[in-house]
């Protein structure tokens, strides 16, 4: 077992996070409407879309390129 986070691990993690978010987006937006202005789901979906657009191909992804795309997506 290794403690190193590879580019493919980082790529898979952000991809799985994005998929999980999209599955829960409406619920999270509905909760935000109760406590705020209801734009949480839209804002996060937009950031995740920009992140996905900036991701390199999985085969050449590095930790730095994946989390760099993630930081620029927000």
């Amino acid at each position: 077992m290794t403690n190193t986070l590879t580019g493919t691990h980082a790529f898979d993690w952000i991809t799985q996070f994005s998929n999980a978010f999209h599955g829960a987006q409406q619920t999270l937006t509905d909760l935000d409407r109760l406590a705020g202005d209801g734009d949480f789901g839209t804002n996060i979906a937009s950031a995740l879309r920009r992140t996905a657009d900036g991701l390199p191909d999985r085969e050449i992804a590095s930790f730095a390129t994946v989390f760099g795309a993630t930081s620029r997506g927000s």
Side-chain angles (χ1 to χ4, degrees):
M1 183 169 153
T2 181
N3 292 330
T4 304
L5 182 61
T6 66
T8 53
H9 288 130
F11 184 95
D12 292 346
W13 180 85
I14 195 65
T15 300
Q16 290 171 7
F17 175 84
S18 182
N19 291 339
F21 169 78
H22 289 299
Q25 181 177 351
Q26 189 58 54
T27 300
L28 294 169
T29 297
D30 292 343
L31 288 170
D32 187 39
R33 278 193 194 102
L34 296 172
D37 56 9
D39 65 349
F40 176 80
T42 303
N43 292 340
I44 299 300
S46 178
L48 289 172
R49 213 173 10 264
R50 290 190 305 273
T51 296
D53 290 346
L55 287 174
D57 290 335
R58 184 181 185 273
E59 295 76 29
I60 62 169
S62 70
F63 175 89
T65 60
V66 170
F67 286 100
T70 303
S71 69
R72 286 186 300 279
S74 58

